[in-house]
Amino acid sequence: MKHNLLLIILLIWILLPCLCLSQQADIENLNYSLEDICPLDSVLGLINLSIEDLGYHPQHYWISYPHPDQIPYTLPVFSDLFAQPQFIYPYIRQAAREFQVYSDSQQVDSNPQFLYKLSHHLGINRIYTGFRSYRSNLELFETSGDSSEILTELRLLEKSLDYVEEISLKWGYLADSGQQYAQWRQNRNLWFDCFNNNSRGQKYYAILLYNLAETVNQLNLGLRNVDRELIISYLSNCQSDDPDQLRLREDIYDKIDFASLWYGSLKLSELAGYLVVHGKNSELIPDTTLSLFTPLGQVIIGGSGEDSFICGDEPILAMVDWGGSDYYLSKPDSGNFYLILLLDWQGDDIYQSVQTPGLACGILGISILVDVEGNDHYTADRNSWGWADLGFSALYDLDGDDYYSCGQQGLGASYSGVGILADFKGEDQYSIYQEGIGFSAYGGIGICADREGDDFYYAEPEAEKAGLEGDYHSGGKILSNLAMGAGWGRRADMTDGHCYGGGLGMLIDLEGDDDYYAGNWAQGVGYWLGMGFLYDGKGNDIYQSCYFATASGAHYAMGAMIDEGGNDFYQMWGDSVEVPEWGWAGAGISFGWDYVIALLVNLGGDDFYQAKKIALGCSQIRSNALFIDISGDDCYQFPQQQQGMGSSDFRDYYVKPFYCFNKSIGIFIDQGGEDKYLNYLYCPDQLIPSSIWSNNSFWLNPESTYLDCYGVGIDLP
């Protein structure tokens, strides 16, 4: 029901202090909360609520409620944000700010810790708070300047090789006698031959070797309590989600020393950053490709030409290539393969993974790939490009127009680990079928971050084309993508009871006119104690998705989208023969189903929103759904017969525990601009002005607050 102009004038007077706030948030200011950008608390006051009424505080006497502290893998931050959803906005902005700071070209050129900072702030600190981003104690062999430089550097290389031997003996990579040991002692001498009379190269590669050995040491410390047979069994079937494999995951997870695992990951991150900042020197480039043996794995150093590297079953400690348009192929036949560090300096490179584990893949391991410049092409079937499973993996691409593709499980994604893909420059394309582009499950962190350029994010919507089972919400035709900021848990309350809390999946794009296209379950979506967030800064962006997407979620979860500038286009698409009037185009643009926090914030620009069912600040089954658009001449197309535009539903069982302890809250706020509200009729694409929603008005849905169901929409000047 629309309310009159006189009442609106009174509301404006009440809300006037809030209306004077900035309409465009500045990412430099980390202090913004929802109250700073819009009159949320005052709008809640219209329905006799306050901001303290948002969120959930689960109690153990709530009958049949999946309490977070009893669901394995649930991230600690979940309960905090679930209780105070007003802090979701600054939490997301903080992550975007950290990426903005440490992906800056000045950082890349001069700060050896820039990758360490990103791995910490974007990933590890969000799963474990035992590190405070000071340093990883990288061994840099700082020496006094009064000794003979060549002698000193030769001694450093010898010291590093000694440490490689020490770690190899400690963890069983090398026996202390016999033919293998004799072969290693012979291979040690090749290192000195390769870098004779090259003091700069000796120190650079000594630092590389020593800290790689320490990374392996920390990895083994992290896995020291896990039976080798358990690891082999898990690696042989890590793609499966059958019950036996999931129980195996539980057994392994409980035995991992994650502090050591994350410490090794931070050490490798700082090493990679150091090598980038201090590697801009031709003295480090060999005349021909070198393949040097260590018991921990090969170290391959490529020259400035075009090379092809085929990775089979042999472990690789590091690959460093200095130039040329190179080809990297990963096709291991067993779980023995790993590649801990890959650093490529120049060229338009092709990276291809055809089997698991792929490149930039950390399954019970640690792996980092850094590409410094060039227009690169990354393709994989699965488990690549920043994919982690009970481990850590990151892909950092620092420049160029790049293409990233992975069928499943990649592009900044993880299960119970930390997976990062960060692209610093260029106009890039990202493509996934399922579980990627900022996805995580089972208490992991999955981050996909892009700094600048007009980028295209694509999640295949057609289940048949992907060869995967479709989502029943869309008649099995549309794929559940679990992408572009998706946090996923395992719901087992109706099966075996082994419920797993979701992870944190986040997609961050700072600048550019970007295009996001997906099917179901994408673009800031959460499921079963999972959190999915999407942040976009500047640019005129397009968001298209089908169902349960675009700041949405189901079953005790959080889904949020933040867009802080530009004229943006939001469309829920999808038609159905079964439901010809409305199809599947809904359950998004701030929609919550069953104890969900759904938040969409759009700042600035003339924006367009289109959906055909349950959307735009729509709360169902005790959810909190908040839609906020600040400034701009906006257009909304939505059917009046459908729930949305600031609404909540009625259900008879809300009188029962635990439903009676909570509130359903649907909020719609549009502040500023001359806005249009158009009502969809049953005839497709026939639109008329709404008789309920209009510029400079407010409405309630429901009109009364029976059973603590609240819905309010308001359009402010």
Side-chain angles (χ1 to χ4, degrees), residues 91-92 94-103 107 111 113-128 131-134 266 269 392 396 418 420 445 447 504 506 508:
Y91 181 82
I92 296 172
Q94 182 192 41
R97 171 61 175 157
E98 300 290 1
F99 178 55
Q100 181 191 49
V101 168
Y102 293 107
S103 62
Q107 294 283 326
N111 183 2
Q113 284 197 319
F114 78 103
L115 293 181
Y116 166 82
K117 296 289 187 179
L118 287 174
S119 292
H120 175 271
H121 293 316
L122 293 182
I124 288 171
N125 189 239
R126 298 180 188 277
I127 197 171
Y128 177 73
F131 300 101
R132 296 186 59 204
S133 81
Y134 294 125
L266 289 170
S269 299
F392 176 91
Y396 293 111
V418 175
I420 300 172
I445 307 293
I447 306 290
L504 168 63
M506 191 183 309
I508 299 170

Side-chain angles (χ1 to χ4, degrees), residues 207-216 268 271 317-318 340-341:
I207 290 171
L208 169 73
L209 263 182
Y210 191 101
N211 290 286
L212 282 171
E214 181 56 21
T215 298
V216 174
L268 184 64
L271 172 62
L317 194 59
I340 291 181
L341 176 65

Side-chain angles (χ1 to χ4, degrees), residues 108-177:
V108 175
D109 290 339
S110 61
N111 183 2
Q113 284 197 319
F114 78 103
L115 293 181
Y116 166 82
K117 296 289 187 179
L118 287 174
S119 292
H120 175 271
H121 293 316
L122 293 182
I124 288 171
N125 189 239
R126 298 180 188 277
I127 197 171
Y128 177 73
T129 58
F131 300 101
R132 296 186 59 204
S133 81
Y134 294 125
R135 61 186 179 275
S136 69
N137 303 306
L138 205 64
E139 177 58 77
L140 299 178
F141 302 122
E142 301 296 345
T143 57
S144 60
D146 56 357
S147 57
S148 170
E149 184 180 1
I150 292 180
L151 179 61
T152 300
E153 308 301 354
L154 278 171
R155 178 69 187 99
L156 296 183
L157 186 58
E158 183 180 4
K159 183 177 180 180
S160 292
L161 291 166
D162 287 344
Y163 194 60
V164 168
E165 182 173 319
E166 177 185 335
I167 298 303
S168 300
L169 291 168
K170 176 180 179 180
W171 296 110
Y173 295 88
L174 179 68
D176 58 3
S177 62

Side-chain angles (χ1 to χ4, degrees), residues 640-687:
Q640 287 184 181
Q641 299 92 329
Q642 288 288 322
Q643 282 206 345
M645 304 296 293
S647 71
S648 65
D649 66 343
F650 281 124
R651 295 176 189 261
D652 291 338
Y653 56 75
Y654 288 174
V655 300
K656 302 177 181 179
F658 52 94
Y659 297 99
C660 66
F661 301 130
N662 295 281
K663 299 176 176 64
S664 300
I665 302 174
I667 303 292
F668 175 98
I669 300 173
D670 185 297
Q671 178 183 321
E674 295 296 322
D675 307 307
K676 295 180 180 179
Y677 295 85
L678 301 176
N679 174 27
Y680 262 112
L681 299 182
Y682 279 98
C683 179
D685 299 325
Q686 185 174 348
L687 298 162

